[in-house]
Amino acid sequence: MSDDQIMFTLDESEQVTHWYNIVADLPTPPPPPLHPGTREPVGPDDLAPLFPIELIMQEVTGERYVEIPGPVLDVYKQYRPSPLYRARRWEQKLGTPARIYYKYEGVSPAGSHKTNTAIPQVYYNSLHGIRRLTTETGAGQWGTALSYAAALFDVECEVWQVGASYDTKPQRRTLIEVFGGTVHRSPSRLTESGKAFPEDHPGSLGIAISEAVEVAAQDESSKYALGSVLNHVLLHQTVIGEEALRQLAKAGESSVDLVVGCAGGGSNFAGLAFPFLREKLAGNQDPTILAVEPSSCPTLTRGEYRYDFGDTAGLTPLMKMYTLGHDFVPSPIHAGGLRYHGMAPLVSHAVHEGLIEATALHQSECFEAGLEFARTQGIVAAPESSHALAQARREALAAKESGEEKVIVIGLSGHGLLELGAYDAFLSGRLEDDPLSDDALATALAGVPIV
Amino acid sequence: MSDDQIMFTLDESEQVTHWYNIVADLPTPPPPPLHPGTREPVGPDDLAPLFPIELIMQEVTGERYVEIPGPVLDVYKQYRPSPLYRARRWEQKLGTPARIYYKYEGVSPAGSHKTNTAIPQVYYNSLHGIRRLTTETGAGQWGTALSYAAALFDVECEVWQVGASYDTKPQRRTLIEVFGGTVHRSPSRLTESGKAFPEDHPGSLGIAISEAVEVAAQDESSKYALGSVLNHVLLHQTVIGEEALRQLAKAGESSVDLVVGCAGGGSNFAGLAFPFLREKLAGNQDPTILAVEPSSCPTLTRGEYRYDFGDTAGLTPLMKMYTLGHDFVPSPIHAGGLRYHGMAPLVSHAVHEGLIEATALHQSECFEAGLEFARTQGIVAAPESSHALAQARREALAAKESGEEKVIVIGLSGHGLLELGAYDAFLSGRLEDDPLSDDALATALAGVPIV
């Protein structure tokens, strides 16, 4: 490499061929999910109606590495390896001695990391003759990714988009349709779950999940797909961190000081962080691994580590995780992908064990960092990703104070080109911070079952 | 390379360091621009109030290669070389024996090829202490690119956005502001040119140009910047074709059969085409080089080759070019970047000499090709770029009929993520084709001066 290289890629011979399973290396095993009825540990049979066997096995496996199937690698090639950039112009602007790198998932066809799991999920379903996948989408990133992947494997994709999002983000709906998916405003008139609400109801992720699950359950050739939280989803995302480790080595960085990513359901964060956690547990390097969440939905920093449902209606298995309570409704911040009441059980477990740290930020600081980043790096970050930028900015400025040459790696999960309305709100002074109050937190946690 | 490689990049040692000037190799010299008052050939002195000396020299030079300055290469590195892709999935879908490649400029910070010239234009101005650049923008791509480039060199950027575009495309305005630029709705109250129209007038590119030029002329430390048509703009864009030639060599293609790109003002098209035209003139390969325009603004295919003004008001030099008449107003198709009454003099000259061919397509066929492309390649093309896709699709299907293994290279000038409203209109059946009528053409051409 030359001294001023800013983009690091990989040769074909260096490309990632296996996903990494953190379960194999965790010092203690994560607690199992429990059946919502019996409250006994959930087994593979319980999951069979929802997912194909390959995904179920990935959900429960203890193997360290899972081979990425050839047809999935073929599609990954369209946008992977995603670039690792050195943020030299931003460093100069900040006047920091820190070396800042960012791993950019916005180059994917859907514009975020979500395609990394959408592609294998559709592929495995297609092996079993599944003709249709149903799902929900809130901010729209996941619906976009699944629609794109479905087009490639000739599977239909039906998306229930939260009503308020459907009404205010027509571009998201259009993008899903461009890729061939069908979009329903939720609550729809197509399901019993939807019909329980008035047609003009603003909807919620909980209602949309119920609708998508209901439709999938009615039809042998339909299945449901989930875009975060579960073990197999996090597994697929580890391609991010595996690539980043190889790319950092090419940049001459054999060890880093900080790995930072935003965390909503946890899959983007885990995808980058878990391969670094493996290196940390093996003693090869000792990075601080830091999850950033919004102060209005501070699951890891202010939630409780206990069993709770994944959805509002209480239909999913009970998972041991940091939670704000399954009926918690966060304020309508612009980082829609970070508005989830819980956190992936594997991420929660690692935080509880002290292997991973967490912090929460106000959204205005995140947009300010996003603006600075755009004007130096030329990339408009998704509002979610801007949380990682803001925290990295804090650390880079601290390094400036202390004079330390820290190495910082940021997970930049996606672009914000379909979220420019949020930037407009910030630029025109209409953006407000709305951190979670103690009272609201206590009320929400009171609804969590005692297991 | 492996047999199924789909993305071709370049090593640092192979990167393009010089822009290519087609003037050095044209069999006959292109006719000079004329002063609008004297109607004598325009010299460098006439251009001095508008442009810095380096750009003026590039406008008139006969040198074959112009070295790209180091600080420009440093910024190019952020997104260049842009990828060359083999469209394998689309080929399979079409069932064609043709090998289809596309050179994708949508990876640039502004989402289109426009940054290739915005960066050097701002750089050269910054060398002379210019503090502010003014410009107009219609579809918004050029204003975005100039705003981004200005941020990097600490120059202010002020953009007059055509009123109708300002009102209907708030995301474009926001993106310009995110990069630090200032946006005015045109006609504005800031200029005499603007005040000549009512404040709620929908505006036009002609009015917006007049406003930007007026403001630049009032202030020693301000200059005006243009995003297409002129020789120096086309020169900067040749980095596209130079990279493509090197990337095709890595893909094992030493000669191609068709080079196809959309043409509005001509800079995107020329940027890809001129290096291939050099190879054609040198007898190294013999591609058909084809410009695609919309049937509602068919400059090359139905316009006349004569001297005309570049703007509506008749303030610019007279340029020998294919024109529909400088007061022609095309129907409001979605490919805003292709709604220009004229065509770059260098492209016009090459077409007139029979070196380059042209064709015109209805927009509905373009969106149909764009949809098929998105569902196989994962990229939503700009409405402008979809014109190149549609023509390539025709050629690929013809190759299927004839059984010929043609090699097709497409210029994909940008992404359409900020133009999803256009795709929505197509998907919902609201899109109409509106080819130029003979009567409207005759009327528009009647206004062209006799030189």
Side-chain angles (χ1 to χ4, degrees):
Chain A
M1 67 153 189
S2 67
D3 281 349
D4 55 354
Q5 194 170 348
I6 55 173
M7 179 174 162
F8 302 90
T9 183
L10 296 172
D11 298 332
E12 268 192 276
S13 62
E14 301 164 308
Q15 295 199 359
V16 172
T17 57
H18 291 72
W19 294 303
Y20 168 63
N21 180 15
I22 191 70
V23 172
D25 290 317
L26 285 172
T28 56
L34 304 180
H35 192 282
T38 65
R39 309 217 164 168
E40 293 295 318
V42 165
D45 288 355
D46 296 308
L47 299 171
L50 284 176
F51 304 116
I53 184 67
E54 293 87 351
L55 294 177
I56 294 171
M57 294 315 293
Q58 291 174 4
E59 189 64 24
V60 300
T61 184
E63 288 290 312
R64 183 168 283 109
Y65 293 100
V66 176
E67 190 171 4
I68 306 175
V72 172
L73 282 176
D74 266 358
V75 183
Y76 274 0
K77 268 197 314 196
Q78 193 87 24
Y79 67 99
R80 304 213 73 85
S82 69
L84 178 83
Y85 287 102
R86 170 95 182 264
R88 288 189 188 271
R89 283 175 191 276
W90 195 27
E91 292 170 15
Q92 286 160 15
K93 175 85 176 175
L94 293 169
T96 180
R99 298 195 292 280
I100 306 176
Y101 296 86
Y102 56 97
K103 177 72 170 162
Y104 184 42
E105 293 297 306
V107 298
S108 99
S112 81
H113 66 291
K114 292 287 186 188
T115 41
N116 298 335
T117 185
I119 295 160
Q121 287 196 45
V122 174
Y123 167 69
Y124 289 124
N125 274 290
S126 76
L127 295 181
H128 299 276
I130 295 304
R131 303 275 297 278
R132 175 173 64 167
L133 285 170
T134 68
T135 198
E136 74 290 334
T137 202
Q141 297 274 20
W142 170 239
T144 306
L146 196 68
S147 175
Y148 158 70
L152 299 182
F153 291 101
D154 265 330
V155 173
E156 289 172 37
C157 174
E158 220 159 320
V159 181
W160 274 260
Q161 184 175 8
V162 174
S165 165
Y166 182 96
D167 297 338
T168 58
K169 294 186 175 186
Q171 294 95 350
R172 266 292 165 200
R173 172 176 53 72
T174 301
L175 185 53
I176 295 171
E177 291 173 350
V178 163
F179 285 134
T182 304
V183 185
H184 307 291
R185 187 188 185 283
S186 173
S188 74
R189 304 299 91 183
L190 301 166
T191 68
E192 296 309 314
S193 312
K195 283 191 239 173
F197 297 87
E199 195 164 2
D200 60 353
H201 189 279
S204 73
L205 217 46
I207 299 170
I209 292 174
S210 301
E211 295 205 86
V213 168
E214 183 183 323
V215 169
Q218 286 162 0
D219 176 359
E220 283 276 307
S221 67
S222 294
K223 295 257 186 212
Y224 169 73
L226 198 69
S228 190
V229 179
L230 298 180
N231 296 359
H232 68 270
V233 180
L234 274 55
L235 176 80
H236 301 154
Q237 295 294 353
T238 57
V239 66
I240 302 172
E242 292 288 37
E243 285 178 1
L245 281 165
R246 287 162 170 77
Q247 289 165 315
L248 283 163
K250 295 187 94 170
E253 308 287 6
S254 56
S255 106
V256 307
D257 299 294
L258 175 68
V259 176
V260 61
C262 65
S267 74
N268 156 68
F269 175 74
L272 176 67
F274 282 178
F276 285 88
L277 181 52
R278 174 191 62 214
E279 299 303 307
K280 185 183 175 91
L281 290 167
N284 296 328
Q285 50 176 294
D286 191 27
T288 297
I289 302 178
L290 184 57
V292 189
E293 51 188 18
S295 57
S296 57
C297 193
T299 317
L300 290 169
T301 49
R302 295 178 62 203
E304 291 190 3
Y305 185 56
R306 51 197 289 198
Y307 274 100
D308 196 3
F309 296 109
D311 67 328
T312 309
L315 300 171
T316 70
L318 284 156
M319 295 177 286
K320 186 83 179 269
M321 60 182 178
Y322 283 92
T323 181
L324 299 169
H326 59 274
D327 52 10
F328 171 67
V329 180
S331 66
I333 55 164
H334 290 285
L338 305 185
R339 296 175 69 241
Y340 183 63
H341 70 276
M343 180 59 63
L346 283 177
V347 173
S348 294
H349 181 65
V351 169
H352 192 249
E353 296 285 304
L355 305 172
I356 287 175
E357 299 172 25
T359 191
L361 295 177
H362 293 336
Q363 65 175 349
S364 55
E365 180 179 343
C366 302
F367 280 103
E368 196 179 328
L371 221 57
E372 194 176 77
F373 187 77
R375 291 173 186 180
T376 50
Q377 299 304 123
I379 290 172
V380 182
E384 290 83 356
S385 318
S386 74
H387 285 69
L389 294 177
Q391 185 62 32
R393 187 174 185 277
R394 285 189 178 202
E395 309 272 352
L397 291 173
K400 180 182 181 177
E401 284 297 309
S402 67
E404 289 173 283
E405 287 192 19
K406 293 221 170 173
V407 178
I408 298 172
V409 180
I410 300 167
L412 200 72
S413 55
H415 68 66
L417 292 176
L418 298 183
E419 312 288 338
L420 285 168
Y423 277 90
D424 183 45
F426 176 70
L427 285 163
S428 57
R430 288 182 283 109
L431 195 87
E432 285 175 17
D433 291 322
D434 188 9
L436 179 61
S437 73
D438 289 339
D439 282 356
L441 177 61
T443 305
L445 283 172
V448 179
I450 308 295
V451 176
Chain B
M1 67 154 190
S2 68
D3 281 351
D4 56 356
Q5 195 171 347
I6 55 173
M7 179 174 163
F8 302 90
T9 184
L10 296 172
D11 298 331
E12 268 192 275
S13 61
E14 300 163 309
Q15 295 199 1
V16 173
T17 57
H18 291 71
W19 294 304
Y20 168 63
N21 180 15
I22 190 72
V23 172
D25 290 317
L26 285 173
T28 56
L34 305 180
H35 191 283
T38 65
R39 308 218 165 169
E40 294 295 317
V42 165
D45 288 353
D46 295 309
L47 300 170
L50 284 175
F51 304 116
I53 184 66
E54 293 86 352
L55 295 178
I56 294 171
M57 295 314 295
Q58 290 175 6
E59 188 66 23
V60 300
T61 185
E63 289 289 312
R64 183 168 281 108
Y65 292 100
V66 175
E67 189 170 5
I68 306 175
V72 172
L73 281 176
D74 266 358
V75 183
Y76 275 180
K77 270 197 314 196
Q78 193 87 22
Y79 68 99
R80 304 212 72 85
S82 69
L84 178 84
Y85 286 102
R86 169 94 184 264
R88 287 188 187 273
R89 286 176 189 273
W90 195 27
E91 292 169 16
Q92 285 160 16
K93 175 84 178 179
L94 294 169
T96 179
R99 299 195 291 282
I100 306 176
Y101 296 86
Y102 56 97
K103 177 72 171 162
Y104 184 43
E105 294 296 307
V107 297
S108 100
S112 81
H113 66 290
K114 292 287 186 187
T115 41
N116 298 334
T117 186
I119 295 160
Q121 286 196 45
V122 174
Y123 167 70
Y124 289 123
N125 274 290
S126 77
L127 294 183
H128 299 276
I130 295 303
R131 303 274 298 278
R132 175 173 64 167
L133 285 170
T134 67
T135 198
E136 74 290 336
T137 201
Q141 296 274 18
W142 170 239
T144 306
L146 195 69
S147 174
Y148 158 70
L152 298 184
F153 292 100
D154 264 330
V155 173
E156 289 172 36
C157 174
E158 221 160 318
V159 181
W160 275 260
Q161 184 175 8
V162 174
S165 166
Y166 183 97
D167 297 338
T168 58
K169 293 186 175 186
Q171 294 94 353
R172 266 292 165 198
R173 172 177 52 73
T174 300
L175 186 53
I176 294 171
E177 291 172 350
V178 163
F179 285 135
T182 304
V183 184
H184 307 291
R185 188 189 185 281
S186 172
S188 74
R189 303 300 91 185
L190 301 166
T191 67
E192 296 309 314
S193 312
K195 283 191 238 173
F197 297 87
E199 194 164 2
D200 60 352
H201 189 279
S204 73
L205 217 45
I207 299 170
I209 291 175
S210 301
E211 295 205 85
V213 168
E214 182 183 322
V215 169
Q218 286 162 1
D219 176 359
E220 283 274 309
S221 67
S222 292
K223 297 256 184 210
Y224 169 72
L226 198 70
S228 190
V229 179
L230 298 181
N231 296 359
H232 68 270
V233 180
L234 274 54
L235 176 80
H236 300 155
Q237 294 294 353
T238 57
V239 66
I240 302 172
E242 293 288 38
E243 285 178 3
L245 281 166
R246 288 163 170 76
Q247 289 164 315
L248 283 163
K250 295 188 93 169
E253 307 286 6
S254 55
S255 105
V256 308
D257 297 294
L258 175 68
V259 177
V260 61
C262 64
S267 74
N268 155 68
F269 175 75
L272 176 68
F274 282 177
F276 284 89
L277 181 53
R278 174 190 62 212
E279 300 303 307
K280 185 184 175 92
L281 290 166
N284 296 328
Q285 50 176 294
D286 191 26
T288 298
I289 302 178
L290 185 57
V292 189
E293 51 188 18
S295 58
S296 57
C297 191
T299 316
L300 290 169
T301 49
R302 294 178 63 202
E304 290 190 4
Y305 185 57
R306 50 197 287 197
Y307 273 100
D308 197 3
F309 297 109
D311 68 327
T312 309
L315 300 172
T316 71
L318 285 157
M319 295 177 285
K320 187 83 179 272
M321 60 181 179
Y322 282 92
T323 180
L324 299 168
H326 60 271
D327 52 9
F328 172 67
V329 179
S331 66
I333 55 166
H334 290 285
L338 305 184
R339 296 175 70 241
Y340 184 62
H341 70 276
M343 179 59 63
L346 283 177
V347 172
S348 294
H349 181 65
V351 169
H352 192 250
E353 297 286 302
L355 305 172
I356 287 175
E357 299 173 24
T359 191
L361 295 177
H362 293 336
Q363 64 175 347
S364 55
E365 180 179 343
C366 301
F367 279 103
E368 196 179 328
L371 219 58
E372 194 176 78
F373 187 78
R375 290 174 187 181
T376 51
Q377 299 303 125
I379 290 172
V380 181
E384 290 84 357
S385 317
S386 74
H387 285 69
L389 295 176
Q391 185 62 30
R393 187 175 185 275
R394 285 188 178 201
E395 308 272 353
L397 292 174
K400 181 181 181 177
E401 284 297 309
S402 66
E404 289 174 283
E405 287 192 21
K406 293 221 170 174
V407 178
I408 298 172
V409 180
I410 300 167
L412 200 71
S413 55
H415 68 65
L417 292 176
L418 298 184
E419 312 288 337
L420 286 167
Y423 278 89
D424 183 44
F426 176 70
L427 285 163
S428 58
R430 288 182 283 110
L431 196 86
E432 285 176 17
D433 292 321
D434 188 9
L436 178 62
S437 72
D438 289 337
D439 283 354
L441 177 59
T443 305
L445 283 173
V448 179
I450 307 296
V451 177

